[in-house]
Amino acid sequence: MSALLQIDRLSVIYHINGYALPALQEVDLHLAAGEKLGLVGESGAGKTTLAGAVMGLLPRGATVKGKIIFKGKILSPAHFARLRGREMVLIPQNVYNSLNPVLSIGQQMEDLQIEGKIPREKRQATMLNLLQKVRLPRPQAVPGSYPHQLSGGMKQRVLLAMGLSRSPSLVLADEPTKGLDPVRRMGILSLVRELVDRNGQSLVLITHDLNAAVYLCDTVALMYRGQLVEIIPASRLLTAGLHPYTRALLAAAPERGLGIPARVDGPPSPFPLHGCPYSPLCELCLPACRKEKPPLFPVGHGHLVRCGQIA
Amino acid sequence: MLEFREVEMVFRSGRSRKRTVRALNGVSLRLEDGEIFGLMGESGSGKSTLGKLALGLLAPTRGEICWNETCWRKYKPMPKEARLAIQGIFQNPYGAFNPRHKIAYALAEPLVRHRLVRTKEARDAAVREMLRRVSLGEECLDKYPSQLSGGQVQRLALARILLMQPRLIVADEPTTMLDLSIQAQVIRLLQTIHRETGTAFLFISHDLPVVASLARRAGIMYGGRLVEVGLLDELMSRPRHPYTHVFFAAAAEQAVPELQDGGQKDGCPYAVNCGQAGNECLSTAPRLQPVAGEHYVACHRADLCKEAVP
């Protein structure tokens, strides 16, 4: 499979109150056409920043270094406006703030198809078709309603329909199942899988939910404090995760024993560290880990680990 | 202990208060002394409403709620004794603290308000002791909530209600906003508190693994009704209500049918989604009936659901 998206040594630095806070540090990632990648990590790991960098949606003032290559072209700020919404879409995490409250759903969805001089009837038919595809109950009633009249789950589906309306080749979904009950969560997961698979689209799923990533994705990339620590085929994550952070995350799940990692309390310091980002918490830490960042080391087919114990 | 008797909760909205939402429809439930009861179900099924009723934050439209045989209902407020004995923690820990008050003040406030301590020394000692219980250092006292992490603030929220020495804690999704490793810490802490103080919990969540790590007994809610109650192991291995089947299957990442909104008043709320529904399901709502031991199910067709047929 050819690479749809290639990320080369991507670093993002935010400048806040005169401090330089690295949010991403030299991330290398490769996404094939039709591949589904799960981006897993805790708050502050840089998952959303990575999605923002790919979409060109980082806040002004963020320093971006490195290359993002999409369909063989290095992306520059001039490209994003043309690609966003057409070739790549981001389905945002916060469904409540992502729709315009004073426009009806129909108006917002039609705006997406404004170019190309499509006749009104055809636009409306496309819209209805999309709303049916995301399995909204009574899709005819949706275009006339305003965001506040829909439930969170319905808004999520509207956003999904809007995201998929231009058949993008890359879909980034930021925590699409956060806060949903099990039945609705499964509904969204199976819906995303079905739609993405049907059109052969690539997916980046940003999530805290390890089980959702295993269900939906081919590959899972684990992030910790702005760095990729492990890339592993999704089917092997639960059994063969190698990085100490991966293991700690797996062990902390209630169904796998509620293991409490030897963790420094409080928000992790955002300041740069020498060496491995996990070294202050790692039980297997070697002296070398504190000095130099270990490389992402291949340990099996499609399985890479950044750990001084393994490299 | 706490008992809900045929509780009904109707919310009114709209210009002339004519739009109604029946959040709870005839819920009866009895919590035993010192147990952890897990309350699960879909969003909007009435779980949080039931929790708020237990805390006295809402008054039921019909029915009554009793704490050690002292009851309150619509125009009869919750007795103070019950208000002190039942305390709550919620999903967003930052929402539980005044952002302009330091932690030291926030923790001491209920002690002072309810005159539970006589001297400053006793107050400070109680606060310090409680900080130790939730494994936080005294340096927290001089900070504002925004300077602490979500996990720390959630533990402080827990510390503050523990100062009231509650007999029942209503925990409404207390770990949903937390990262996995912090969630593990908070669950461990809840387990310890339960073991050491014997406080009962009404633990509301739709996260099955979290509930399973704490609760012995659990209830499943759907459409404002309690559809199944029993030992959690029993519910998981032998679910009798069709919604319970679907709920546990979805929690295990198995494909499940999409559920339609029932929205009807009289019949079984699940009837529109149920493959087995008959005429009586559309006309009358089933009541909780015992099936075996502590296991109760509200389904006219529970006999058909003996085998694993969703």
Side-chain angles (χ1 to χ4, degrees):
Chain A
M1 284 194 282
S2 61
L4 178 80
L5 178 73
Q6 171 104 34
I7 295 173
D8 256 353
R9 297 174 71 81
L10 180 71
S11 299
V12 174
I13 298 166
Y14 292 130
H15 302 275
I16 296 166
N17 299 338
Y19 293 109
L21 307 174
L24 283 182
Q25 294 179 49
E26 303 194 338
V27 169
D28 292 308
L29 204 58
H30 171 107
L31 186 71
E35 188 179 355
K36 286 166 288 182
L37 174 81
L39 214 49
V40 175
E42 295 181 291
S43 320
K47 309 184 294 292
T48 304
T49 299
L50 183 59
V54 171
M55 293 288 295
L57 288 174
L58 290 177
R60 214 164 287 162
T63 313
V64 183
K65 281 185 219 144
K67 276 188 286 194
I68 302 171
I69 304 164
F70 182 72
K71 290 194 167 170
K73 270 187 239 139
I74 299 175
L75 293 189
S76 69
H79 289 112
F80 288 121
R82 216 177 57 230
L83 293 173
R84 268 199 303 254
R86 299 180 180 87
E87 288 282 327
M88 48 165 93
V89 296
L90 174 72
I91 297 167
Q93 174 174 174
N94 187 338
V95 296
Y96 293 92
N97 292 346
S98 304
L99 290 166
N100 188 333
V102 297
L103 290 182
S104 72
I105 300 295
Q107 284 170 301
Q108 303 190 43
M109 290 193 70
E110 274 189 54
D111 283 354
L112 293 174
Q113 319 178 44
I114 204 107
E115 61 188 287
K117 301 207 174 74
I118 309 161
R120 183 121 204 264
E121 294 75 47
K122 200 162 170 212
R123 276 186 279 160
Q124 287 183 333
T126 321
M127 178 167 72
L128 218 56
N129 187 10
L130 279 165
L131 292 173
Q132 262 157 10
K133 253 198 215 159
V134 294
R135 291 195 224 122
L136 271 162
R138 298 197 299 130
Q140 321 78 295
V142 175
S145 43
Y146 287 86
H148 73 269
Q149 295 171 308
L150 305 182
S151 71
M154 290 169 83
K155 279 188 257 208
Q156 182 90 57
R157 277 161 201 254
V158 168
L159 285 168
L160 198 59
M162 290 170 85
L164 299 177
S165 65
R166 302 293 295 264
S167 312
S169 25
L170 174 64
V171 179
L172 298 120
D174 195 353
E175 300 269 15
T177 58
K178 195 175 190 181
L180 298 183
D181 65 64
V183 178
R184 295 211 169 90
R185 166 178 171 270
M186 250 336 263
I188 288 284
L189 288 179
S190 55
L191 181 63
V192 170
R193 182 154 92 169
E194 186 192 312
L195 294 174
V196 167
D197 278 353
R198 190 194 293 161
N199 305 325
Q201 288 156 320
S202 298
L203 174 77
V204 176
L205 174 77
I206 297 173
T207 187
H208 280 83
D209 184 343
L210 291 165
N211 297 328
V214 169
Y215 171 79
L216 194 57
C217 300
D218 309 310
T219 314
V220 174
L222 288 115
M223 296 188 70
Y224 183 74
R225 296 189 60 182
Q227 303 197 15
L228 282 177
V229 295
E230 184 160 8
I231 298 173
I232 183 169
S235 56
R236 305 190 58 218
L237 172 65
L238 299 184
T239 49
L242 270 181
H243 194 278
Y245 176 66
T246 312
R247 306 254 288 251
L249 208 55
L250 287 170
E255 65 270 36
R256 285 181 289 271
L258 287 173
I260 298 175
R263 182 180 168 121
V264 181
D265 218 39
S269 149
F271 297 105
L273 278 167
H274 291 290
C276 170
Y278 195 61
S279 58
L281 306 183
C282 185
E283 285 162 359
L284 306 170
C285 181
L286 302 170
C289 297
R290 295 189 205 278
K291 289 198 191 95
E292 206 174 334
K293 185 168 100 171
L296 262 179
F297 188 79
V299 288
H301 186 70
H303 188 179
L304 299 126
V305 182
R306 188 192 296 285
C307 178
Q309 281 281 358
I310 290 154
Chain B
M1 273 298 272
L2 186 76
E3 194 178 349
F4 297 92
R5 292 183 186 157
E6 291 295 321
V7 169
E8 196 175 305
M9 185 74 220
V10 178
F11 291 107
R12 291 181 173 277
S13 63
R15 201 179 290 173
S16 47
R17 321 285 288 157
K18 275 187 185 147
R19 267 189 29 205
T20 57
V21 175
R22 196 169 295 259
L24 290 176
N25 203 343
V27 173
S28 296
L29 175 66
R30 200 186 151 80
L31 299 190
E32 304 302 330
D33 202 1
E35 79 167 334
I36 301 186
F37 187 89
L39 194 60
M40 294 180 279
E42 65 168 9
S43 323
S45 61
K47 307 186 296 290
S48 292
T49 304
L50 202 64
K52 283 181 186 165
L53 283 166
L55 289 163
L57 299 175
L58 292 172
T61 312
R62 257 177 232 116
E64 57 182 10
I65 303 159
C66 305
W67 173 255
N68 295 337
E69 304 307 317
T70 334
C71 300
W72 61 96
R73 58 187 79 86
K74 192 168 183 186
Y75 294 115
K76 187 178 176 220
M78 185 174 176
K80 190 175 176 203
E81 178 221 336
R83 277 190 186 271
L84 285 173
I86 307 175
Q87 297 286 336
I89 49 170
F90 303 92
Q91 184 171 350
N92 180 0
Y94 294 101
F97 286 89
N98 185 330
R100 300 277 174 218
H101 284 168
K102 286 187 177 171
I103 298 301
Y105 179 84
L107 288 190
E109 193 180 11
L111 290 176
V112 176
R113 173 75 182 75
H114 293 289
R115 304 207 179 114
L116 296 178
V117 286
R118 300 238 171 265
T119 61
K120 251 187 194 156
E121 289 72 36
R123 182 193 72 193
D124 291 348
V127 167
R128 270 157 222 257
E129 163 61 23
M130 202 45 77
L131 274 183
R132 256 196 306 284
R133 286 280 287 282
V134 298
S135 352
L136 286 170
E138 286 180 17
E139 68 279 1
C140 286
L141 290 174
D142 203 34
K143 288 189 173 156
Y144 291 98
S146 58
Q147 293 169 298
L148 299 163
S149 73
Q152 286 173 319
V153 180
Q154 190 61 289
R155 280 186 283 161
L156 287 168
L158 195 59
R160 185 168 60 176
I161 62 166
L162 286 174
L163 283 166
M164 311 305 295
Q165 301 182 327
R167 298 308 306 146
L168 171 68
I169 294 174
V170 177
D172 192 350
E173 303 265 14
T175 63
T176 326
M177 272 181 52
L178 308 176
D179 275 330
L180 212 47
S181 52
I182 309 292
Q183 173 181 292
Q185 269 181 345
V186 171
I187 295 173
R188 286 276 177 105
L189 179 62
L190 293 175
Q191 287 172 335
T192 314
I193 286 163
H194 179 248
R195 201 174 50 238
E196 286 174 0
T197 63
T199 308
F201 282 83
L202 176 59
F203 194 91
I204 302 168
S205 174
H206 46 228
D207 192 336
L208 175 63
V210 172
V211 173
S213 65
L214 285 160
R216 194 182 71 98
R217 218 155 63 93
I220 307 282
M221 289 191 73
Y222 187 84
R225 291 175 193 274
L226 206 50
V227 295
E228 194 159 2
V229 180
L231 298 175
L232 187 55
D233 290 340
E234 168 99 6
L235 293 185
M236 286 167 77
S237 56
R238 280 182 290 276
R240 296 293 289 273
H241 195 281
Y243 177 70
T244 316
H245 273 285
V246 170
F247 185 89
F248 289 134
E253 277 94 35
Q254 288 166 24
V256 291
E258 300 248 339
L259 301 181
Q260 313 282 322
D261 186 10
Q264 51 171 318
K265 209 169 102 185
D266 298 325
C268 170
Y270 195 67
V272 282
N273 293 303
C274 184
Q276 313 282 350
N279 284 334
E280 75 270 37
C281 303
L282 294 171
S283 55
T284 44
R287 303 181 62 83
L288 274 180
Q289 302 285 344
V291 278
E294 292 181 65
H295 192 167
Y296 293 80
V297 64
C299 179
H300 291 307
R301 301 297 174 99
D303 292 341
L304 296 174
C305 272
K306 250 180 207 150
E307 308 305 319
V309 194

